[in-house]
Each structure stands twice: as C-alpha cells, then as structure tokens.
Amino acid sequence: MPELPEVETVRRQLAGTLIGRTIERITLRRTDVIRGAGPRRFRETLRGQTVEALDRRGKALIVRLSDGVALLVHLGMTGRFCLAPPGVPLAEHTHMIAYLADGGRLVFRDPRRFGHLELTCADALDETETLRNVGIDALAPEFTAARLSEALAGRTAPIKAALLDQRRFAGVGNIYACEALFRAHIDPTALCGELDAQQVKALHRALRAVLRASIAAEGTTIADYVNGNGVPGGFQRRLRVYGREGEACPSRGCTGTIARIVQSNRSTFYCPLCQRA
DNA sequence: CGGACAACCTGGTTGC
DNA sequence: TGCAACCAGGTTGTCC
C-alpha cells in the first residue's frame, strides 16, 4: 500500500486531528508487530503520553510524544494507522489499539503484518531498526539532482532497482519508480551507469513531480489503502503505466503498448518504445 | 562490496 | 463449485 505520498497523506490528516490528544491505555492483540520494547514496556511507556507532532522520513511515520518518546510506524504493504470510527467493532487484523483519553481509538491494522510499530527515544531515531538504513527523504529540499547523481554513482544495478533502495534516499516504491521512469522517458532496465547527466536531472524532476502530484491527490489506492479518514486516494486514476499492461502508451504521438516485466521479483510497467536508455 | 533471490504473511483474483 | 496458482503498495537475510 504505502509509499511516500500515502504515508504523507496519513501524516497530514493525523497531524490535523491527533496533536494534543492523550493516550489513556494501549491494547496489543498481537505482540509480534512491536519493536524496540517488549509488550509490557510498550504499553506502560505509551500510557499517559500526549501527541506533540507527526513527522515522516521516507515511508516511516514518526509520532512524537511527550517525555521525548517517539513511536515509529511502518505500514509495510497493507498497514493502516488511523482513528477507528466510533461505535463500530474493530476490524479484523487490528493489532494495536491506543485508547485516547477523549474516547477516540487510534489503531494499527495490518493483515499481512509486514509493517510494525517501534518505540524509541526521539533523540535516537537514527539508531532504530526502522530508520537506521533509511536515507534522506525524497522530498526533502536537500535531495537535489546532484544528490540523486551521487546516489547512483558506482552502482551497476538497473535504475528501477536502485530507485527502490531506501538507503541513500527514501520514499520511492514500486508504483512511483515506474511512474517517474516513464515521465523521464528512461528505460527501467538501463543500468545506473548508463544514464547521462541530463537523464539524471530529468529523473530527479520526474520523481519530485510525481510524488507531489500524488500527495495532492491524497495518494494511490490499488486495493485497500485508505487515508487517516478511511477515504481512498485519487492518484490511481492518474497513473500512466503502473497496472496498465496492454494499454496504449499515453505519451503524445507514441504508438507503443505498455509492457510488464519482472525486475528483482517486482513488476515493472513501462513503454518499450518511448522509454530508452 | 553490490546485486539477485527467497522468505516473511494474508487475501483477492484467475484459470482449469 | 473447488482448488491451485499467481498476484499485491515492502524489507531483510542469505548466497554468490
């Protein structure tokens, strides 16, 4: 489900509704989604904490609490972190419930359980399991075309695989990697070293543009992603290649057909005609 | 070291 | 209808 735009959408919505509210108690229905502390310490540390801010780095959500405590949320493929509607039974696969002092319920739900919650100190974020291998955010002002160029330098992997690597810059997943490569007219199978400076610049611009456009549309919903208010995103209608195998290439004047190939076990969608190394 | 690949999970869809 | 195979927004460990 969640790449940078989807996590950013959740962050913005929760920032609007959660800041200043206090956790009264925590219920864990499964403990294997918890990191950084055992279940008992997890519950006891969060009890009585007030939400002060919500931040994000790449695909990770950072909930900053009173007392210098932080809760890191990674949604994996199917995770949701949102307020449960009042008066309705909690959905299946709800692993953690934070009962708020005002009666609200903040829940973590994740059928596939690739996501997790990690408890940490706000000043130790870089050492956490969730963030220790995560580079700068792909929408941070410091992530310039020059930084992208550095990130790709010396690599021999195909560019598509390099975009999914969160270590040098973070937030790009399978959908937006495909979409950015299409917008920049770059062949996803091209090796990093084969791109010239102009292509790297075009790719940087395409990455930032597609991430921003998706945030403006409140993210992409393929199957079951919903934002903090339970509403699906709108960007799936504006995807140009992802999930569009067999359709005509949407580039003006291009007569190609969108193809699907597999790269490092993930689907890549692209136009073999207008995306060139 | 980097890169390819399997593994981790559940659920929905497809095809026989 | 039933069931197996395949697919899915991510990350990590293992092997080369």
Side-chain angles (χ1 to χ4, degrees):
Chain A
M1 159 184 83
E3 304 181 34
L4 186 155
E6 291 74 39
V7 179
E8 175 63 14
T9 300
V10 171
R11 187 198 71 76
R12 290 182 182 189
Q13 288 170 337
L14 291 181
T17 182
L18 210 55
I19 289 172
R21 296 169 79 176
T22 299
I23 297 168
E24 193 168 80
R25 69 191 168 87
I26 298 281
T27 294
L28 289 171
R29 290 187 171 176
R30 286 194 75 107
T31 56
D32 56 1
V33 298
I34 299 303
R35 307 280 189 278
R40 183 183 183 139
R41 194 160 75 82
F42 186 91
R43 284 193 300 264
E44 288 175 1
T45 304
L46 290 176
R47 177 180 300 140
Q49 295 280 332
T50 297
V51 178
E52 295 191 336
L54 285 120
D55 294 331
R56 182 187 56 73
R57 192 205 294 179
K59 301 169 188 171
L61 190 65
I62 304 167
V63 183
R64 295 186 188 272
L65 299 151
S66 32
D67 302 345
V69 171
L71 180 66
L72 303 180
V73 182
H74 198 296
L75 298 175
M77 294 273 264
T78 53
R80 295 185 191 183
F81 187 70
C82 59
L83 288 163
V88 177
L90 293 169
E92 205 182 351
H93 306 295
T94 299
H95 308 311
M96 186 225 58
I97 308 113
Y99 293 93
L100 305 178
D102 57 23
R105 296 175 298 179
L106 178 66
V107 301
F108 175 66
R109 174 169 183 242
D110 185 10
R112 287 178 76 178
R113 304 204 306 280
F114 288 174
H116 65 259
L117 303 171
E118 182 172 12
L119 186 66
T120 185
C121 300
D123 55 10
L125 295 180
D126 288 339
E127 284 79 57
T128 60
E129 180 182 328
T130 307
L131 290 176
R132 98 189 135 205
N133 291 325
V134 173
I136 64 168
D137 190 80
L139 281 184
E142 313 87 67
F143 182 60
T144 58
R147 290 291 290 270
L148 175 61
S149 183
E150 280 171 38
L152 302 179
R155 299 196 57 164
T156 57
I159 182 62
K160 162 72 185 320
L163 292 177
L164 298 182
D165 186 340
Q166 305 294 299
R167 287 175 296 190
R168 290 173 173 80
F169 58 94
V172 180
N174 205 36
I175 294 176
Y176 301 108
C178 293
E179 293 296 311
L181 288 165
F182 174 79
R183 288 176 178 226
H185 301 293
I186 293 169
D187 180 349
T189 66
L191 304 184
C192 291
E194 294 172 342
L195 302 188
D196 62 33
Q198 199 166 351
Q199 286 177 308
V200 172
K201 205 169 168 183
L203 180 54
H204 176 261
R205 189 165 39 223
L207 278 170
R208 309 260 300 187
V210 75
L211 293 173
R212 287 209 180 96
S214 182
I215 291 170
E218 303 198 323
T220 298
T221 297
I222 300 295
D224 60 356
Y225 162 76
V226 293
N227 64 30
N229 297 326
V231 177
F235 199 69
Q236 61 278 5
R237 292 189 292 273
R238 303 233 278 279
L239 296 175
R240 299 188 188 161
V241 289
Y242 187 87
R244 298 196 182 278
E245 181 183 16
E247 295 185 24
C249 174
S251 279
R252 264 172 74 86
C254 180
T255 57
T257 300
I258 303 306
R260 173 185 173 271
I261 60 172
V262 174
Q263 293 181 283
S264 40
N265 277 332
R266 314 290 304 277
S267 288
T268 297
F269 297 90
Y270 76 116
C271 173
L273 221 56
C274 67
Q275 289 178 252
R276 300 294 182 76

PDB file of all heavy atoms in Angstrom, chain A residues 108-137:
ATOM      1  N   PHE A 108      -3.674   0.386  14.819  1.00  0.00           N
ATOM      2  CA  PHE A 108      -2.761  -0.135  13.807  1.00  0.00           C
ATOM      3  C   PHE A 108      -3.335  -1.451  13.317  1.00  0.00           C
ATOM      4  O   PHE A 108      -3.549  -2.369  14.100  1.00  0.00           O
ATOM      5  CB  PHE A 108      -1.360  -0.339  14.386  1.00  0.00           C
ATOM      6  CG  PHE A 108      -0.399  -0.979  13.419  1.00  0.00           C
ATOM      7  CD1 PHE A 108       0.003  -0.312  12.272  1.00  0.00           C
ATOM      8  CD2 PHE A 108       0.103  -2.252  13.659  1.00  0.00           C
ATOM      9  CE1 PHE A 108       0.889  -0.905  11.369  1.00  0.00           C
ATOM     10  CE2 PHE A 108       0.997  -2.840  12.773  1.00  0.00           C
ATOM     11  CZ  PHE A 108       1.381  -2.172  11.626  1.00  0.00           C
ATOM     12  N   ARG A 109      -3.605  -1.505  12.013  1.00  0.00           N
ATOM     13  CA  ARG A 109      -4.197  -2.691  11.412  1.00  0.00           C
ATOM     14  C   ARG A 109      -3.336  -3.110  10.235  1.00  0.00           C
ATOM     15  O   ARG A 109      -2.925  -2.263   9.433  1.00  0.00           O
ATOM     16  CB  ARG A 109      -5.611  -2.342  10.945  1.00  0.00           C
ATOM     17  CG  ARG A 109      -6.268  -3.444  10.174  1.00  0.00           C
ATOM     18  CD  ARG A 109      -7.754  -3.162   9.959  1.00  0.00           C
ATOM     19  NE  ARG A 109      -8.312  -4.309   9.270  1.00  0.00           N
ATOM     20  CZ  ARG A 109      -8.857  -4.274   8.053  1.00  0.00           C
ATOM     21  NH1 ARG A 109      -8.957  -3.135   7.408  1.00  0.00           N
ATOM     22  NH2 ARG A 109      -9.293  -5.372   7.493  1.00  0.00           N
ATOM     23  N   ASP A 110      -3.050  -4.395  10.110  1.00  0.00           N
ATOM     24  CA  ASP A 110      -2.151  -4.827   9.039  1.00  0.00           C
ATOM     25  C   ASP A 110      -2.301  -6.322   8.767  1.00  0.00           C
ATOM     26  O   ASP A 110      -1.648  -7.142   9.410  1.00  0.00           O
ATOM     27  CB  ASP A 110      -0.698  -4.512   9.436  1.00  0.00           C
ATOM     28  CG  ASP A 110       0.279  -4.835   8.312  1.00  0.00           C
ATOM     29  OD1 ASP A 110      -0.161  -5.112   7.172  1.00  0.00           O
ATOM     30  OD2 ASP A 110       1.493  -4.815   8.579  1.00  0.00           O
ATOM     31  N   PRO A 111      -3.162  -6.689   7.808  1.00  0.00           N
ATOM     32  CA  PRO A 111      -3.412  -8.118   7.533  1.00  0.00           C
ATOM     33  C   PRO A 111      -2.130  -8.919   7.259  1.00  0.00           C
ATOM     34  O   PRO A 111      -1.959 -10.009   7.795  1.00  0.00           O
ATOM     35  CB  PRO A 111      -4.318  -8.078   6.300  1.00  0.00           C
ATOM     36  CG  PRO A 111      -5.005  -6.759   6.374  1.00  0.00           C
ATOM     37  CD  PRO A 111      -4.012  -5.820   7.002  1.00  0.00           C
ATOM     38  N   ARG A 112      -1.247  -8.411   6.439  1.00  0.00           N
ATOM     39  CA  ARG A 112      -0.068  -9.220   6.087  1.00  0.00           C
ATOM     40  C   ARG A 112       1.051  -9.143   7.114  1.00  0.00           C
ATOM     41  O   ARG A 112       1.990  -9.920   7.063  1.00  0.00           O
ATOM     42  CB  ARG A 112       0.445  -8.795   4.698  1.00  0.00           C
ATOM     43  CG  ARG A 112      -0.457  -9.279   3.596  1.00  0.00           C
ATOM     44  CD  ARG A 112       0.016  -8.826   2.242  1.00  0.00           C
ATOM     45  NE  ARG A 112       1.158  -9.573   1.761  1.00  0.00           N
ATOM     46  CZ  ARG A 112       1.731  -9.373   0.580  1.00  0.00           C
ATOM     47  NH1 ARG A 112       1.250  -8.445  -0.234  1.00  0.00           N
ATOM     48  NH2 ARG A 112       2.750 -10.082   0.206  1.00  0.00           N
ATOM     49  N   ARG A 113       0.971  -8.166   7.972  1.00  0.00           N
ATOM     50  CA  ARG A 113       1.956  -7.994   9.053  1.00  0.00           C
ATOM     51  C   ARG A 113       3.389  -7.802   8.541  1.00  0.00           C
ATOM     52  O   ARG A 113       4.340  -8.292   9.122  1.00  0.00           O
ATOM     53  CB  ARG A 113       1.900  -9.173  10.039  1.00  0.00           C
ATOM     54  CG  ARG A 113       0.515  -9.382  10.635  1.00  0.00           C
ATOM     55  CD  ARG A 113       0.554 -10.093  11.968  1.00  0.00           C
ATOM     56  NE  ARG A 113       1.268 -11.359  11.964  1.00  0.00           N
ATOM     57  CZ  ARG A 113       0.756 -12.510  11.527  1.00  0.00           C
ATOM     58  NH1 ARG A 113      -0.503 -12.552  11.093  1.00  0.00           N
ATOM     59  NH2 ARG A 113       1.464 -13.602  11.570  1.00  0.00           N
ATOM     60  N   PHE A 114       3.545  -7.118   7.416  1.00  0.00           N
ATOM     61  CA  PHE A 114       4.884  -6.695   7.004  1.00  0.00           C
ATOM     62  C   PHE A 114       5.241  -5.377   7.681  1.00  0.00           C
ATOM     63  O   PHE A 114       6.389  -4.960   7.673  1.00  0.00           O
ATOM     64  CB  PHE A 114       4.951  -6.498   5.484  1.00  0.00           C
ATOM     65  CG  PHE A 114       4.931  -7.783   4.695  1.00  0.00           C
ATOM     66  CD1 PHE A 114       4.851  -7.752   3.321  1.00  0.00           C
ATOM     67  CD2 PHE A 114       5.009  -9.014   5.331  1.00  0.00           C
ATOM     68  CE1 PHE A 114       4.844  -8.924   2.585  1.00  0.00           C
ATOM     69  CE2 PHE A 114       4.995 -10.195   4.607  1.00  0.00           C
ATOM     70  CZ  PHE A 114       4.908 -10.146   3.229  1.00  0.00           C
ATOM     71  N   GLY A 115       4.267  -4.704   8.208  1.00  0.00           N
ATOM     72  CA  GLY A 115       4.500  -3.437   8.909  1.00  0.00           C
ATOM     73  C   GLY A 115       4.820  -3.676  10.375  1.00  0.00           C
ATOM     74  O   GLY A 115       4.779  -4.805  10.871  1.00  0.00           O
ATOM     75  N   HIS A 116       5.166  -2.610  11.076  1.00  0.00           N
ATOM     76  CA  HIS A 116       5.466  -2.737  12.505  1.00  0.00           C
ATOM     77  C   HIS A 116       5.387  -1.376  13.194  1.00  0.00           C
ATOM     78  O   HIS A 116       5.309  -0.337  12.539  1.00  0.00           O
ATOM     79  CB  HIS A 116       6.855  -3.348  12.714  1.00  0.00           C
ATOM     80  CG  HIS A 116       7.979  -2.484  12.212  1.00  0.00           C
ATOM     81  ND1 HIS A 116       8.611  -2.720  11.012  1.00  0.00           N
ATOM     82  CD2 HIS A 116       8.550  -1.376  12.730  1.00  0.00           C
ATOM     83  CE1 HIS A 116       9.550  -1.800  10.835  1.00  0.00           C
ATOM     84  NE2 HIS A 116       9.530  -0.962  11.853  1.00  0.00           N
ATOM     85  N   LEU A 117       5.419  -1.422  14.525  1.00  0.00           N
ATOM     86  CA  LEU A 117       5.482  -0.216  15.359  1.00  0.00           C
ATOM     87  C   LEU A 117       6.745  -0.322  16.183  1.00  0.00           C
ATOM     88  O   LEU A 117       7.041  -1.371  16.742  1.00  0.00           O
ATOM     89  CB  LEU A 117       4.276  -0.169  16.317  1.00  0.00           C
ATOM     90  CG  LEU A 117       2.890  -0.216  15.687  1.00  0.00           C
ATOM     91  CD1 LEU A 117       1.824  -0.376  16.773  1.00  0.00           C
ATOM     92  CD2 LEU A 117       2.635   1.061  14.892  1.00  0.00           C
ATOM     93  N   GLU A 118       7.524   0.756  16.252  1.00  0.00           N
ATOM     94  CA  GLU A 118       8.752   0.714  17.054  1.00  0.00           C
ATOM     95  C   GLU A 118       8.765   1.865  18.047  1.00  0.00           C
ATOM     96  O   GLU A 118       8.623   3.030  17.677  1.00  0.00           O
ATOM     97  CB  GLU A 118      10.001   0.785  16.158  1.00  0.00           C
ATOM     98  CG  GLU A 118      11.289   0.692  16.965  1.00  0.00           C
ATOM     99  CD  GLU A 118      12.545   0.571  16.104  1.00  0.00           C
ATOM    100  OE1 GLU A 118      12.469   0.786  14.887  1.00  0.00           O
ATOM    101  OE2 GLU A 118      13.605   0.265  16.691  1.00  0.00           O
ATOM    102  N   LEU A 119       8.973   1.516  19.301  1.00  0.00           N
ATOM    103  CA  LEU A 119       9.054   2.508  20.371  1.00  0.00           C
ATOM    104  C   LEU A 119      10.512   2.922  20.544  1.00  0.00           C
ATOM    105  O   LEU A 119      11.404   2.076  20.594  1.00  0.00           O
ATOM    106  CB  LEU A 119       8.522   1.893  21.669  1.00  0.00           C
ATOM    107  CG  LEU A 119       8.387   2.817  22.870  1.00  0.00           C
ATOM    108  CD1 LEU A 119       7.334   3.875  22.616  1.00  0.00           C
ATOM    109  CD2 LEU A 119       8.032   2.001  24.113  1.00  0.00           C
ATOM    110  N   THR A 120      10.754   4.230  20.634  1.00  0.00           N
ATOM    111  CA  THR A 120      12.135   4.692  20.782  1.00  0.00           C
ATOM    112  C   THR A 120      12.148   6.057  21.454  1.00  0.00           C
ATOM    113  O   THR A 120      11.111   6.632  21.759  1.00  0.00           O
ATOM    114  CB  THR A 120      12.829   4.766  19.405  1.00  0.00           C
ATOM    115  OG1 THR A 120      14.209   5.113  19.592  1.00  0.00           O
ATOM    116  CG2 THR A 120      12.184   5.813  18.519  1.00  0.00           C
ATOM    117  N   CYS A 121      13.385   6.555  21.700  1.00  0.00           N
ATOM    118  CA  CYS A 121      13.549   7.918  22.194  1.00  0.00           C
ATOM    119  C   CYS A 121      13.669   8.838  20.990  1.00  0.00           C
ATOM    120  O   CYS A 121      14.252   8.471  19.971  1.00  0.00           O
ATOM    121  CB  CYS A 121      14.826   8.062  23.017  1.00  0.00           C
ATOM    122  SG  CYS A 121      14.872   6.998  24.444  1.00  0.00           S
ATOM    123  N   ALA A 122      13.146  10.048  21.115  1.00  0.00           N
ATOM    124  CA  ALA A 122      13.163  10.985  19.997  1.00  0.00           C
ATOM    125  C   ALA A 122      14.587  11.323  19.555  1.00  0.00           C
ATOM    126  O   ALA A 122      14.814  11.680  18.399  1.00  0.00           O
ATOM    127  CB  ALA A 122      12.421  12.257  20.380  1.00  0.00           C
ATOM    128  N   ASP A 123      15.573  11.182  20.442  1.00  0.00           N
ATOM    129  CA  ASP A 123      16.940  11.535  20.053  1.00  0.00           C
ATOM    130  C   ASP A 123      17.740  10.329  19.568  1.00  0.00           C
ATOM    131  O   ASP A 123      18.944  10.431  19.350  1.00  0.00           O
ATOM    132  CB  ASP A 123      17.661  12.240  21.207  1.00  0.00           C
ATOM    133  CG  ASP A 123      17.639  11.418  22.480  1.00  0.00           C
ATOM    134  OD1 ASP A 123      17.235  10.238  22.423  1.00  0.00           O
ATOM    135  OD2 ASP A 123      18.013  11.953  23.531  1.00  0.00           O
ATOM    136  N   ALA A 124      17.079   9.206  19.380  1.00  0.00           N
ATOM    137  CA  ALA A 124      17.796   8.003  18.926  1.00  0.00           C
ATOM    138  C   ALA A 124      17.200   7.443  17.637  1.00  0.00           C
ATOM    139  O   ALA A 124      17.364   6.272  17.325  1.00  0.00           O
ATOM    140  CB  ALA A 124      17.767   6.937  20.025  1.00  0.00           C
ATOM    141  N   LEU A 125      16.540   8.300  16.881  1.00  0.00           N
ATOM    142  CA  LEU A 125      15.830   7.814  15.693  1.00  0.00           C
ATOM    143  C   LEU A 125      16.754   7.133  14.693  1.00  0.00           C
ATOM    144  O   LEU A 125      16.399   6.125  14.086  1.00  0.00           O
ATOM    145  CB  LEU A 125      15.103   8.979  15.003  1.00  0.00           C
ATOM    146  CG  LEU A 125      13.971   9.633  15.798  1.00  0.00           C
ATOM    147  CD1 LEU A 125      13.358  10.764  14.991  1.00  0.00           C
ATOM    148  CD2 LEU A 125      12.911   8.615  16.181  1.00  0.00           C
ATOM    149  N   ASP A 126      17.952   7.700  14.522  1.00  0.00           N
ATOM    150  CA  ASP A 126      18.857   7.167  13.509  1.00  0.00           C
ATOM    151  C   ASP A 126      19.383   5.779  13.850  1.00  0.00           C
ATOM    152  O   ASP A 126      19.899   5.091  12.980  1.00  0.00           O
ATOM    153  CB  ASP A 126      20.047   8.121  13.311  1.00  0.00           C
ATOM    154  CG  ASP A 126      19.625   9.388  12.598  1.00  0.00           C
ATOM    155  OD1 ASP A 126      18.576   9.365  11.928  1.00  0.00           O
ATOM    156  OD2 ASP A 126      20.330  10.399  12.726  1.00  0.00           O
ATOM    157  N   GLU A 127      19.250   5.381  15.102  1.00  0.00           N
ATOM    158  CA  GLU A 127      19.763   4.071  15.501  1.00  0.00           C
ATOM    159  C   GLU A 127      18.668   3.013  15.514  1.00  0.00           C
ATOM    160  O   GLU A 127      18.916   1.862  15.842  1.00  0.00           O
ATOM    161  CB  GLU A 127      20.398   4.141  16.898  1.00  0.00           C
ATOM    162  CG  GLU A 127      21.777   4.795  16.921  1.00  0.00           C
ATOM    163  CD  GLU A 127      21.701   6.310  16.881  1.00  0.00           C
ATOM    164  OE1 GLU A 127      21.057   6.882  17.769  1.00  0.00           O
ATOM    165  OE2 GLU A 127      22.248   6.909  15.938  1.00  0.00           O
ATOM    166  N   THR A 128      17.442   3.399  15.183  1.00  0.00           N
ATOM    167  CA  THR A 128      16.352   2.427  15.271  1.00  0.00           C
ATOM    168  C   THR A 128      16.354   1.461  14.097  1.00  0.00           C
ATOM    169  O   THR A 128      16.856   1.767  13.019  1.00  0.00           O
ATOM    170  CB  THR A 128      14.987   3.144  15.285  1.00  0.00           C
ATOM    171  OG1 THR A 128      14.861   3.900  14.069  1.00  0.00           O
ATOM    172  CG2 THR A 128      14.856   4.060  16.481  1.00  0.00           C
ATOM    173  N   GLU A 129      15.763   0.300  14.352  1.00  0.00           N
ATOM    174  CA  GLU A 129      15.590  -0.687  13.292  1.00  0.00           C
ATOM    175  C   GLU A 129      14.845  -0.079  12.105  1.00  0.00           C
ATOM    176  O   GLU A 129      15.187  -0.313  10.939  1.00  0.00           O
ATOM    177  CB  GLU A 129      14.803  -1.868  13.885  1.00  0.00           C
ATOM    178  CG  GLU A 129      14.543  -2.994  12.921  1.00  0.00           C
ATOM    179  CD  GLU A 129      13.704  -4.096  13.571  1.00  0.00           C
ATOM    180  OE1 GLU A 129      13.831  -4.315  14.796  1.00  0.00           O
ATOM    181  OE2 GLU A 129      12.924  -4.732  12.843  1.00  0.00           O
ATOM    182  N   THR A 130      13.838   0.740  12.402  1.00  0.00           N
ATOM    183  CA  THR A 130      13.002   1.309  11.338  1.00  0.00           C
ATOM    184  C   THR A 130      13.766   2.290  10.457  1.00  0.00           C
ATOM    185  O   THR A 130      13.530   2.348   9.248  1.00  0.00           O
ATOM    186  CB  THR A 130      11.786   2.024  11.959  1.00  0.00           C
ATOM    187  OG1 THR A 130      11.123   1.124  12.851  1.00  0.00           O
ATOM    188  CG2 THR A 130      10.805   2.488  10.891  1.00  0.00           C
ATOM    189  N   LEU A 131      14.667   3.074  11.044  1.00  0.00           N
ATOM    190  CA  LEU A 131      15.281   4.176  10.295  1.00  0.00           C
ATOM    191  C   LEU A 131      16.773   4.037  10.045  1.00  0.00           C
ATOM    192  O   LEU A 131      17.346   4.822   9.299  1.00  0.00           O
ATOM    193  CB  LEU A 131      15.021   5.510  11.027  1.00  0.00           C
ATOM    194  CG  LEU A 131      13.571   5.999  10.989  1.00  0.00           C
ATOM    195  CD1 LEU A 131      13.414   7.263  11.823  1.00  0.00           C
ATOM    196  CD2 LEU A 131      13.109   6.245   9.555  1.00  0.00           C
ATOM    197  N   ARG A 132      17.406   3.045  10.645  1.00  0.00           N
ATOM    198  CA  ARG A 132      18.872   3.036  10.578  1.00  0.00           C
ATOM    199  C   ARG A 132      19.380   2.837   9.154  1.00  0.00           C
ATOM    200  O   ARG A 132      20.472   3.290   8.827  1.00  0.00           O
ATOM    201  CB  ARG A 132      19.431   2.018  11.577  1.00  0.00           C
ATOM    202  CG  ARG A 132      19.799   0.687  11.036  1.00  0.00           C
ATOM    203  CD  ARG A 132      20.141  -0.313  12.113  1.00  0.00           C
ATOM    204  NE  ARG A 132      19.461  -1.561  11.752  1.00  0.00           N
ATOM    205  CZ  ARG A 132      19.110  -2.499  12.600  1.00  0.00           C
ATOM    206  NH1 ARG A 132      19.339  -2.365  13.886  1.00  0.00           N
ATOM    207  NH2 ARG A 132      18.517  -3.576  12.171  1.00  0.00           N
ATOM    208  N   ASN A 133      18.604   2.195   8.301  1.00  0.00           N
ATOM    209  CA  ASN A 133      19.041   2.011   6.912  1.00  0.00           C
ATOM    210  C   ASN A 133      18.282   2.899   5.940  1.00  0.00           C
ATOM    211  O   ASN A 133      18.189   2.585   4.754  1.00  0.00           O
ATOM    212  CB  ASN A 133      18.876   0.548   6.506  1.00  0.00           C
ATOM    213  CG  ASN A 133      19.846  -0.356   7.238  1.00  0.00           C
ATOM    214  OD1 ASN A 133      20.981   0.036   7.512  1.00  0.00           O
ATOM    215  ND2 ASN A 133      19.401  -1.545   7.587  1.00  0.00           N
ATOM    216  N   VAL A 134      17.718   3.994   6.444  1.00  0.00           N
ATOM    217  CA  VAL A 134      16.878   4.859   5.615  1.00  0.00           C
ATOM    218  C   VAL A 134      17.567   6.203   5.392  1.00  0.00           C
ATOM    219  O   VAL A 134      17.929   6.896   6.331  1.00  0.00           O
ATOM    220  CB  VAL A 134      15.490   5.057   6.277  1.00  0.00           C
ATOM    221  CG1 VAL A 134      14.677   6.095   5.524  1.00  0.00           C
ATOM    222  CG2 VAL A 134      14.751   3.723   6.337  1.00  0.00           C
ATOM    223  N   GLY A 135      17.724   6.555   4.119  1.00  0.00           N
ATOM    224  CA  GLY A 135      18.396   7.799   3.756  1.00  0.00           C
ATOM    225  C   GLY A 135      17.488   9.011   3.847  1.00  0.00           C
ATOM    226  O   GLY A 135      16.427   8.957   4.460  1.00  0.00           O
ATOM    227  N   ILE A 136      17.904  10.105   3.229  1.00  0.00           N
ATOM    228  CA  ILE A 136      17.107  11.330   3.328  1.00  0.00           C
ATOM    229  C   ILE A 136      15.813  11.180   2.538  1.00  0.00           C
ATOM    230  O   ILE A 136      15.724  10.418   1.588  1.00  0.00           O
ATOM    231  CB  ILE A 136      17.876  12.582   2.831  1.00  0.00           C
ATOM    232  CG1 ILE A 136      18.197  12.469   1.340  1.00  0.00           C
ATOM    233  CG2 ILE A 136      19.113  12.830   3.650  1.00  0.00           C
ATOM    234  CD1 ILE A 136      18.675  13.774   0.767  1.00  0.00           C
ATOM    235  N   ASP A 137      14.835  11.928   2.963  1.00  0.00           N
ATOM    236  CA  ASP A 137      13.524  11.849   2.334  1.00  0.00           C
ATOM    237  C   ASP A 137      13.599  12.372   0.903  1.00  0.00           C
ATOM    238  O   ASP A 137      14.210  13.396   0.629  1.00  0.00           O
ATOM    239  CB  ASP A 137      12.528  12.673   3.145  1.00  0.00           C
ATOM    240  CG  ASP A 137      11.109  12.432   2.671  1.00  0.00           C
ATOM    241  OD1 ASP A 137      10.543  11.403   3.060  1.00  0.00           O
ATOM    242  OD2 ASP A 137      10.590  13.257   1.903  1.00  0.00           O
TER     243      ASP A 137
END
